[in-house]
Amino acid sequence: MCSFFKCIGCCCCCLFLIVLTLGVVITYFYAVYVPHVPLYEIEKLEVKAFDMHPDLTLDTQILVTVRAYNPNSNIGFVYGDNGTVSLVFNQTDVLCSGKPPNFMQGHNNVTMIKVDLAGKSKFGPGLQAAYDENQKSQKPVPLLVTVEMPMRVVIEHVPLREFRVFVNSSLMVDNLAPNKTIKIVSSDTVFHFEF
């Protein structure tokens, strides 16, 4: 019976030491590296094509520039393949989409990510009304840019586990005229990570 309690006491001591060691390592990491979350925003949109056809389909080509800011001094990020960027109207109508490039973002760095979006979609009544009103009264058009990308944190040249970053940027833009840079009247960007 005595040896049973000694075994439980020994297991508790080992568990305590493991938890203590893990706590020290995490505290050291935060004290030395002072990690910050990267920041993302849509820098600009450029309409290359916004052509409506008689069958009410819409050909859209837009160049999106996403600004990614890494404020960390010892932490970098690797953005991988299989990402997507989409331009959405009315939360559901995907106008166009494209693939962002994979790249390594160093520490204390601002990277401008340019992504060509292209797509064919239905020119529905909601988009038709917003477009017509914009052409007549210059009322801003609501758009949503969504970004989904795989990402790895790199600490001192050591890449960690891959996860996904999701960016949703709600925009109000002044126009959708072809061959023109769109002025972003207002934007609200939120992002989250999925492990």
Side-chain angles (χ1 to χ4, degrees):
M1 195 72 166
C2 248
S3 64
F4 175 73
F5 289 118
K6 282 184 181 180
C7 184
I8 288 178
C10 187
C11 287
C12 287
C13 284
C14 287
L15 184 62
F16 174 75
L17 288 175
I18 290 171
V19 169
L20 181 64
T21 303
L22 188 60
V24 168
V25 168
I26 290 171
T27 302
Y28 173 79
F29 173 77
Y30 277 99
V32 170
Y33 293 106
V34 190
H36 298 284
V37 174
L39 303 172
Y40 306 97
E41 70 179 40
I42 303 302
E43 191 72 17
K44 75 177 185 180
L45 300 170
E46 186 178 335
V47 177
K48 294 181 174 184
F50 195 79
D51 303 323
M52 188 172 67
H53 299 285
D55 65 350
L56 294 179
T57 58
L58 181 67
D59 282 330
T60 310
Q61 292 180 355
I62 294 180
L63 177 65
V64 176
T65 304
V66 179
R67 181 180 188 269
Y69 171 57
N70 177 9
N72 296 289
S73 57
N74 293 311
I75 300 172
F77 300 100
V78 174
Y79 296 87
D81 292 328
N82 301 323
T84 58
V85 177
S86 299
L87 183 69
V88 181
F89 174 77
N90 205 19
Q91 305 293 325
T92 57
D93 302 330
V94 177
L95 301 178
C96 51
S97 61
K99 299 271 183 211
N102 59 331
F103 65 96
M104 165 70 175
Q105 184 179 26
H107 55 82
N108 288 330
N109 180 283
V110 174
T111 303
M112 298 300 202
I113 308 161
K114 294 183 181 258
V115 184
D116 280 312
L117 307 182
K120 186 175 275 218
S121 60
K122 281 288 186 191
F123 197 64
L127 181 57
Q128 174 76 48
Y131 184 74
D132 289 344
E133 192 166 338
N134 173 260
Q135 296 300 308
K136 290 176 189 168
S137 66
Q138 301 300 311
K139 182 177 178 186
V141 178
L143 296 174
L144 174 67
V145 176
T146 64
V147 179
E148 178 184 345
M149 274 187 92
M151 178 179 171
R152 285 185 190 271
V153 174
V154 178
I155 301 173
E156 299 290 332
H157 305 292
V158 177
L160 302 180
R161 180 175 173 242
E162 185 174 280
F163 57 95
R164 296 193 77 75
V165 60
F166 297 88
V167 180
N168 287 330
S169 189
S170 299
L171 308 173
M172 294 297 281
V173 300
D174 68 340
N175 71 73
L176 292 173
N179 301 316
K180 192 172 179 185
T181 299
I182 298 173
K183 180 181 175 196
I184 299 172
V185 178
S186 68
S187 69
D188 181 31
T189 303
V190 296
F191 53 90
H192 69 278
F193 304 97
E194 191 173 277
F195 297 92

